[in-house]
PDB file of all heavy atoms in Angstrom:
ATOM      1  N   ASN A  73      -3.373  -4.501  15.964  1.00 54.00           N
ATOM      2  CA  ASN A  73      -3.966  -3.262  16.083  1.00 54.00           C
ATOM      3  C   ASN A  73      -2.969  -2.111  15.828  1.00 54.00           C
ATOM      4  O   ASN A  73      -3.271  -0.935  16.168  1.00 54.00           O
ATOM      5  CB  ASN A  73      -4.670  -3.087  17.459  1.00 54.00           C
ATOM      6  CG  ASN A  73      -5.850  -3.993  17.587  1.00 54.00           C
ATOM      7  OD1 ASN A  73      -6.533  -4.172  16.722  1.00 54.00           O
ATOM      8  ND2 ASN A  73      -5.942  -4.600  18.795  1.00 54.00           N
ATOM      9  N   GLN A 236     -11.691   3.208   8.220  1.00 76.00           N
ATOM     10  CA  GLN A 236     -12.132   3.004   9.593  1.00 76.00           C
ATOM     11  C   GLN A 236     -12.563   4.359  10.330  1.00 76.00           C
ATOM     12  O   GLN A 236     -11.845   5.399  10.012  1.00 76.00           O
ATOM     13  CB  GLN A 236     -11.066   2.348  10.485  1.00 76.00           C
ATOM     14  CG  GLN A 236     -10.762   0.872   9.975  1.00 76.00           C
ATOM     15  CD  GLN A 236      -9.610   0.383  10.818  1.00 76.00           C
ATOM     16  OE1 GLN A 236      -8.586   1.041  11.079  1.00 76.00           O
ATOM     17  NE2 GLN A 236      -9.740  -0.912  11.263  1.00 76.00           N
ATOM     18  N   ARG A 244     -22.879   4.250  27.960  1.00 91.00           N
ATOM     19  CA  ARG A 244     -22.387   3.505  29.095  1.00 91.00           C
ATOM     20  C   ARG A 244     -23.032   4.044  30.397  1.00 91.00           C
ATOM     21  O   ARG A 244     -22.742   5.289  30.624  1.00 91.00           O
ATOM     22  CB  ARG A 244     -20.956   3.395  29.181  1.00 91.00           C
ATOM     23  CG  ARG A 244     -20.215   2.572  28.170  1.00 91.00           C
ATOM     24  CD  ARG A 244     -18.708   2.600  28.318  1.00 91.00           C
ATOM     25  NE  ARG A 244     -18.092   1.786  27.142  1.00 91.00           N
ATOM     26  CZ  ARG A 244     -16.762   1.683  26.919  1.00 91.00           C
ATOM     27  NH1 ARG A 244     -16.007   2.326  27.784  1.00 91.00           N
ATOM     28  NH2 ARG A 244     -16.296   0.924  25.925  1.00 91.00           N
ATOM     29  N   ILE A 253     -11.927   4.468  18.909  1.00 87.00           N
ATOM     30  CA  ILE A 253     -12.519   3.193  18.282  1.00 87.00           C
ATOM     31  C   ILE A 253     -11.863   1.935  19.049  1.00 87.00           C
ATOM     32  O   ILE A 253     -12.500   1.008  19.238  1.00 87.00           O
ATOM     33  CB  ILE A 253     -12.396   3.122  16.868  1.00 87.00           C
ATOM     34  CG1 ILE A 253     -13.173   1.944  16.180  1.00 87.00           C
ATOM     35  CG2 ILE A 253     -10.963   3.060  16.343  1.00 87.00           C
ATOM     36  CD1 ILE A 253     -13.223   1.888  14.748  1.00 87.00           C
ATOM     37  N   ASP A 254     -10.580   1.965  19.352  1.00 84.00           N
ATOM     38  CA  ASP A 254      -9.956   0.920  20.017  1.00 84.00           C
ATOM     39  C   ASP A 254     -10.411   0.542  21.421  1.00 84.00           C
ATOM     40  O   ASP A 254     -10.027  -0.336  22.027  1.00 84.00           O
ATOM     41  CB  ASP A 254      -8.399   0.911  19.946  1.00 84.00           C
ATOM     42  CG  ASP A 254      -7.932   2.248  20.630  1.00 84.00           C
ATOM     43  OD1 ASP A 254      -8.668   2.977  21.116  1.00 84.00           O
ATOM     44  OD2 ASP A 254      -6.752   2.357  20.548  1.00 84.00           O
ATOM     45  N   GLN A 255     -11.180   1.478  21.909  1.00 90.00           N
ATOM     46  CA  GLN A 255     -11.749   1.364  23.285  1.00 90.00           C
ATOM     47  C   GLN A 255     -13.138   0.721  23.323  1.00 90.00           C
ATOM     48  O   GLN A 255     -13.780   0.497  24.400  1.00 90.00           O
ATOM     49  CB  GLN A 255     -11.748   2.625  24.149  1.00 90.00           C
ATOM     50  CG  GLN A 255     -10.257   3.066  24.365  1.00 90.00           C
ATOM     51  CD  GLN A 255     -10.330   4.419  25.210  1.00 90.00           C
ATOM     52  OE1 GLN A 255     -11.259   4.758  25.836  1.00 90.00           O
ATOM     53  NE2 GLN A 255      -9.153   5.087  25.108  1.00 90.00           N
ATOM     54  N   VAL A 256     -13.742   0.546  22.093  1.00 91.00           N
ATOM     55  CA  VAL A 256     -15.034   0.048  22.033  1.00 91.00           C
ATOM     56  C   VAL A 256     -15.031  -1.496  22.419  1.00 91.00           C
ATOM     57  O   VAL A 256     -14.215  -2.194  21.997  1.00 91.00           O
ATOM     58  CB  VAL A 256     -15.742   0.119  20.629  1.00 91.00           C
ATOM     59  CG1 VAL A 256     -17.033  -0.429  20.520  1.00 91.00           C
ATOM     60  CG2 VAL A 256     -15.723   1.692  20.233  1.00 91.00           C
ATOM     61  N   LEU A 257     -16.017  -1.916  23.383  1.00 92.00           N
ATOM     62  CA  LEU A 257     -16.052  -3.258  23.729  1.00 92.00           C
ATOM     63  C   LEU A 257     -17.230  -3.996  23.193  1.00 92.00           C
ATOM     64  O   LEU A 257     -18.320  -3.381  22.899  1.00 92.00           O
ATOM     65  CB  LEU A 257     -16.047  -3.410  25.236  1.00 92.00           C
ATOM     66  CG  LEU A 257     -14.886  -2.673  26.046  1.00 92.00           C
ATOM     67  CD1 LEU A 257     -15.272  -2.707  27.615  1.00 92.00           C
ATOM     68  CD2 LEU A 257     -13.583  -3.275  25.762  1.00 92.00           C
ATOM     69  N   ALA A 258     -17.219  -5.330  22.917  1.00 92.00           N
ATOM     70  CA  ALA A 258     -18.236  -6.072  22.540  1.00 92.00           C
ATOM     71  C   ALA A 258     -19.331  -5.919  23.550  1.00 92.00           C
ATOM     72  O   ALA A 258     -19.271  -6.071  24.784  1.00 92.00           O
ATOM     73  CB  ALA A 258     -17.883  -7.508  22.307  1.00 92.00           C
ATOM     74  N   GLY A 259     -20.575  -5.688  22.997  1.00 92.00           N
ATOM     75  CA  GLY A 259     -21.777  -5.467  24.009  1.00 92.00           C
ATOM     76  C   GLY A 259     -22.064  -4.018  24.137  1.00 92.00           C
ATOM     77  O   GLY A 259     -23.151  -3.644  24.695  1.00 92.00           O
ATOM     78  N   ASP A 260     -21.103  -3.010  23.858  1.00 94.00           N
ATOM     79  CA  ASP A 260     -21.381  -1.659  23.917  1.00 94.00           C
ATOM     80  C   ASP A 260     -22.538  -1.259  23.054  1.00 94.00           C
ATOM     81  O   ASP A 260     -22.740  -1.772  21.962  1.00 94.00           O
ATOM     82  CB  ASP A 260     -20.226  -0.794  23.553  1.00 94.00           C
ATOM     83  CG  ASP A 260     -19.185  -0.631  24.723  1.00 94.00           C
ATOM     84  OD1 ASP A 260     -19.548  -0.820  25.841  1.00 94.00           O
ATOM     85  OD2 ASP A 260     -18.057  -0.321  24.450  1.00 94.00           O
ATOM     86  N   VAL A 262     -23.872   1.591  20.628  1.00 94.00           N
ATOM     87  CA  VAL A 262     -23.209   2.621  19.822  1.00 94.00           C
ATOM     88  C   VAL A 262     -24.282   3.317  19.147  1.00 94.00           C
ATOM     89  O   VAL A 262     -25.191   2.878  18.641  1.00 94.00           O
ATOM     90  CB  VAL A 262     -22.275   1.989  18.917  1.00 94.00           C
ATOM     91  CG1 VAL A 262     -21.440   3.144  18.148  1.00 94.00           C
ATOM     92  CG2 VAL A 262     -21.246   1.107  19.482  1.00 94.00           C
ATOM     93  N   PRO A 271     -18.665   2.620  13.357  1.00 92.00           N
ATOM     94  CA  PRO A 271     -17.274   2.339  13.907  1.00 92.00           C
ATOM     95  C   PRO A 271     -16.904   0.787  13.916  1.00 92.00           C
ATOM     96  O   PRO A 271     -15.793   0.449  13.621  1.00 92.00           O
ATOM     97  CB  PRO A 271     -17.246   2.970  15.231  1.00 92.00           C
ATOM     98  CG  PRO A 271     -18.740   2.968  15.596  1.00 92.00           C
ATOM     99  CD  PRO A 271     -19.415   3.142  14.344  1.00 92.00           C
ATOM    100  N   VAL A 272     -17.821  -0.094  14.173  1.00 93.00           N
ATOM    101  CA  VAL A 272     -17.590  -1.438  14.352  1.00 93.00           C
ATOM    102  C   VAL A 272     -18.683  -2.304  13.878  1.00 93.00           C
ATOM    103  O   VAL A 272     -19.727  -1.726  13.577  1.00 93.00           O
ATOM    104  CB  VAL A 272     -17.321  -1.888  15.839  1.00 93.00           C
ATOM    105  CG1 VAL A 272     -15.967  -1.189  16.401  1.00 93.00           C
ATOM    106  CG2 VAL A 272     -18.473  -1.633  16.778  1.00 93.00           C
ATOM    107  N   ASP A 273     -18.588  -3.672  13.823  1.00 94.00           N
ATOM    108  CA  ASP A 273     -19.584  -4.443  13.343  1.00 94.00           C
ATOM    109  C   ASP A 273     -20.579  -4.751  14.482  1.00 94.00           C
ATOM    110  O   ASP A 273     -20.255  -4.769  15.705  1.00 94.00           O
ATOM    111  CB  ASP A 273     -19.100  -5.844  12.971  1.00 94.00           C
ATOM    112  CG  ASP A 273     -18.163  -5.711  11.744  1.00 94.00           C
ATOM    113  OD1 ASP A 273     -17.929  -4.665  11.379  1.00 94.00           O
ATOM    114  OD2 ASP A 273     -17.631  -6.816  11.430  1.00 94.00           O
ATOM    115  N   GLY A 274     -21.925  -4.759  14.220  1.00 94.00           N
ATOM    116  CA  GLY A 274     -22.970  -4.916  15.239  1.00 94.00           C
ATOM    117  C   GLY A 274     -24.332  -5.267  14.726  1.00 94.00           C
ATOM    118  O   GLY A 274     -24.545  -5.456  13.538  1.00 94.00           O
ATOM    119  N   PHE A 316     -26.906   0.648  17.822  1.00 95.00           N
ATOM    120  CA  PHE A 316     -26.696  -0.842  17.671  1.00 95.00           C
ATOM    121  C   PHE A 316     -25.815  -1.414  18.724  1.00 95.00           C
ATOM    122  O   PHE A 316     -25.016  -0.491  19.358  1.00 95.00           O
ATOM    123  CB  PHE A 316     -26.191  -1.076  16.224  1.00 95.00           C
ATOM    124  CG  PHE A 316     -24.705  -0.577  15.907  1.00 95.00           C
ATOM    125  CD1 PHE A 316     -23.664  -1.449  16.260  1.00 95.00           C
ATOM    126  CD2 PHE A 316     -24.450   0.782  15.768  1.00 95.00           C
ATOM    127  CE1 PHE A 316     -22.369  -1.128  16.048  1.00 95.00           C
ATOM    128  CE2 PHE A 316     -22.921   1.111  15.447  1.00 95.00           C
ATOM    129  CZ  PHE A 316     -22.010   0.114  15.707  1.00 95.00           C
ATOM    130  N   LYS A 317     -25.848  -2.704  18.944  1.00 95.00           N
ATOM    131  CA  LYS A 317     -25.039  -3.328  19.917  1.00 95.00           C
ATOM    132  C   LYS A 317     -23.776  -3.830  19.164  1.00 95.00           C
ATOM    133  O   LYS A 317     -23.849  -4.553  18.141  1.00 95.00           O
ATOM    134  CB  LYS A 317     -25.643  -4.585  20.582  1.00 95.00           C
ATOM    135  CG  LYS A 317     -24.916  -5.222  21.592  1.00 95.00           C
ATOM    136  CD  LYS A 317     -25.676  -6.292  22.387  1.00 95.00           C
ATOM    137  CE  LYS A 317     -26.021  -7.529  21.499  1.00 95.00           C
ATOM    138  NZ  LYS A 317     -26.648  -8.559  22.302  1.00 95.00           N
ATOM    139  N   ALA A 318     -22.620  -3.454  19.716  1.00 93.00           N
ATOM    140  CA  ALA A 318     -21.239  -3.847  19.032  1.00 93.00           C
ATOM    141  C   ALA A 318     -21.099  -5.320  19.322  1.00 93.00           C
ATOM    142  O   ALA A 318     -21.306  -5.901  20.374  1.00 93.00           O
ATOM    143  CB  ALA A 318     -20.165  -3.136  19.766  1.00 93.00           C
ATOM    144  N   ILE A 319     -20.763  -6.006  18.243  1.00 94.00           N
ATOM    145  CA  ILE A 319     -20.546  -7.532  18.171  1.00 94.00           C
ATOM    146  C   ILE A 319     -19.169  -7.819  17.931  1.00 94.00           C
ATOM    147  O   ILE A 319     -18.519  -8.675  18.755  1.00 94.00           O
ATOM    148  CB  ILE A 319     -21.451  -8.221  17.205  1.00 94.00           C
ATOM    149  CG1 ILE A 319     -22.952  -8.089  17.622  1.00 94.00           C
ATOM    150  CG2 ILE A 319     -21.161  -9.762  17.145  1.00 94.00           C
ATOM    151  CD1 ILE A 319     -23.943  -8.573  16.575  1.00 94.00           C
ATOM    152  N   ARG A 320     -18.525  -7.379  16.946  1.00 90.00           N
ATOM    153  CA  ARG A 320     -17.214  -7.591  16.631  1.00 90.00           C
ATOM    154  C   ARG A 320     -16.478  -6.293  16.630  1.00 90.00           C
ATOM    155  O   ARG A 320     -16.756  -5.338  16.012  1.00 90.00           O
ATOM    156  CB  ARG A 320     -17.047  -8.280  15.205  1.00 90.00           C
ATOM    157  CG  ARG A 320     -17.548  -9.694  15.268  1.00 90.00           C
ATOM    158  CD  ARG A 320     -17.233 -10.359  13.789  1.00 90.00           C
ATOM    159  NE  ARG A 320     -18.012  -9.697  12.794  1.00 90.00           N
ATOM    160  CZ  ARG A 320     -19.225 -10.094  12.376  1.00 90.00           C
ATOM    161  NH1 ARG A 320     -19.864 -10.991  13.160  1.00 90.00           N
ATOM    162  NH2 ARG A 320     -19.874  -9.479  11.556  1.00 90.00           N
ATOM    163  N   VAL A 321     -15.408  -6.261  17.431  1.00 89.00           N
ATOM    164  CA  VAL A 321     -14.569  -5.021  17.666  1.00 89.00           C
ATOM    165  C   VAL A 321     -13.151  -5.251  17.350  1.00 89.00           C
ATOM    166  O   VAL A 321     -12.779  -6.460  17.209  1.00 89.00           O
ATOM    167  CB  VAL A 321     -14.748  -4.370  19.104  1.00 89.00           C
ATOM    168  CG1 VAL A 321     -16.255  -4.112  19.299  1.00 89.00           C
ATOM    169  CG2 VAL A 321     -14.359  -5.413  20.106  1.00 89.00           C
ATOM    170  N   GLY A 322     -12.378  -4.164  17.230  1.00 82.00           N
ATOM    171  CA  GLY A 322     -10.883  -4.323  17.065  1.00 82.00           C
ATOM    172  C   GLY A 322     -10.602  -5.128  15.947  1.00 82.00           C
ATOM    173  O   GLY A 322     -10.936  -4.906  14.781  1.00 82.00           O
ATOM    174  N   SER A 323      -9.691  -6.181  16.075  1.00 77.00           N
ATOM    175  CA  SER A 323      -9.093  -6.946  15.014  1.00 77.00           C
ATOM    176  C   SER A 323     -10.117  -7.894  14.410  1.00 77.00           C
ATOM    177  O   SER A 323      -9.836  -8.580  13.516  1.00 77.00           O
ATOM    178  CB  SER A 323      -7.837  -7.687  15.354  1.00 77.00           C
ATOM    179  OG  SER A 323      -8.155  -8.527  16.484  1.00 77.00           O
ATOM    180  N   GLU A 324     -11.291  -7.983  15.093  1.00 83.00           N
ATOM    181  CA  GLU A 324     -12.319  -8.910  14.696  1.00 83.00           C
ATOM    182  C   GLU A 324     -13.314  -8.404  13.643  1.00 83.00           C
ATOM    183  O   GLU A 324     -14.100  -9.191  13.096  1.00 83.00           O
ATOM    184  CB  GLU A 324     -13.050  -9.529  15.844  1.00 83.00           C
ATOM    185  CG  GLU A 324     -12.250 -10.350  16.883  1.00 83.00           C
ATOM    186  CD  GLU A 324     -11.416 -11.425  16.243  1.00 83.00           C
ATOM    187  OE1 GLU A 324     -12.142 -12.224  15.495  1.00 83.00           O
ATOM    188  OE2 GLU A 324     -10.282 -11.433  16.528  1.00 83.00           O
ATOM    189  N   THR A 325     -13.353  -7.092  13.459  1.00 85.00           N
ATOM    190  CA  THR A 325     -14.227  -6.463  12.430  1.00 85.00           C
ATOM    191  C   THR A 325     -13.969  -6.949  11.145  1.00 85.00           C
ATOM    192  O   THR A 325     -12.842  -7.408  10.698  1.00 85.00           O
ATOM    193  CB  THR A 325     -14.287  -4.862  12.583  1.00 85.00           C
ATOM    194  OG1 THR A 325     -12.869  -4.592  12.065  1.00 85.00           O
ATOM    195  CG2 THR A 325     -14.475  -4.416  13.949  1.00 85.00           C
ATOM    196  N   THR A 326     -14.948  -6.811  10.184  1.00 83.00           N
ATOM    197  CA  THR A 326     -14.694  -7.245   8.829  1.00 83.00           C
ATOM    198  C   THR A 326     -13.635  -6.527   8.211  1.00 83.00           C
ATOM    199  O   THR A 326     -12.815  -7.016   7.449  1.00 83.00           O
ATOM    200  CB  THR A 326     -16.190  -7.136   7.978  1.00 83.00           C
ATOM    201  OG1 THR A 326     -17.165  -7.814   8.642  1.00 83.00           O
ATOM    202  CG2 THR A 326     -15.956  -7.565   6.565  1.00 83.00           C
ATOM    203  N   ALA A 328     -11.078  -4.994   9.476  1.00 80.00           N
ATOM    204  CA  ALA A 328      -9.730  -5.218  10.111  1.00 80.00           C
ATOM    205  C   ALA A 328      -9.320  -6.702   9.516  1.00 80.00           C
ATOM    206  O   ALA A 328      -8.162  -6.779   9.229  1.00 80.00           O
ATOM    207  CB  ALA A 328      -9.865  -5.421  11.596  1.00 80.00           C
ATOM    208  N   GLN A 329     -10.186  -7.578   9.176  1.00 81.00           N
ATOM    209  CA  GLN A 329      -9.804  -8.819   8.628  1.00 81.00           C
ATOM    210  C   GLN A 329      -9.310  -8.521   7.154  1.00 81.00           C
ATOM    211  O   GLN A 329      -8.515  -9.283   6.681  1.00 81.00           O
ATOM    212  CB  GLN A 329     -10.935  -9.816   8.626  1.00 81.00           C
ATOM    213  CG  GLN A 329     -11.223 -10.218  10.061  1.00 81.00           C
ATOM    214  CD  GLN A 329     -12.416 -11.212  10.150  1.00 81.00           C
ATOM    215  OE1 GLN A 329     -12.559 -12.135   9.487  1.00 81.00           O
ATOM    216  NE2 GLN A 329     -13.390 -10.947  11.075  1.00 81.00           N
ATOM    217  N   ARG A 332      -5.923  -7.171   7.330  1.00 72.00           N
ATOM    218  CA  ARG A 332      -4.929  -8.236   7.762  1.00 72.00           C
ATOM    219  C   ARG A 332      -4.699  -9.214   6.607  1.00 72.00           C
ATOM    220  O   ARG A 332      -3.622  -9.634   6.385  1.00 72.00           O
ATOM    221  CB  ARG A 332      -5.608  -9.081   8.870  1.00 72.00           C
ATOM    222  CG  ARG A 332      -4.645 -10.044   9.402  1.00 72.00           C
ATOM    223  CD  ARG A 332      -4.838 -10.481  10.930  1.00 72.00           C
ATOM    224  NE  ARG A 332      -6.189 -11.096  11.062  1.00 72.00           N
ATOM    225  CZ  ARG A 332      -7.231 -10.441  11.639  1.00 72.00           C
ATOM    226  NH1 ARG A 332      -7.119  -9.216  12.186  1.00 72.00           N
ATOM    227  NH2 ARG A 332      -8.434 -11.101  11.738  1.00 72.00           N
TER     228      ARG A 332
END
Side-chain angles (χ1 to χ4, degrees):
N73 294 323
Q236 292 179 318
R244 290 178 178 172
I253 189 172
D254 57 3
Q255 293 181 18
V256 178
L257 304 174
D260 274 342
V262 184
V272 295
D273 297 359
F316 72 94
K317 182 172 72 173
I319 296 175
R320 289 186 295 274
V321 300
S323 62
E324 299 304 314
T325 64
T326 302
Q329 291 179 50
R332 188 157 61 247

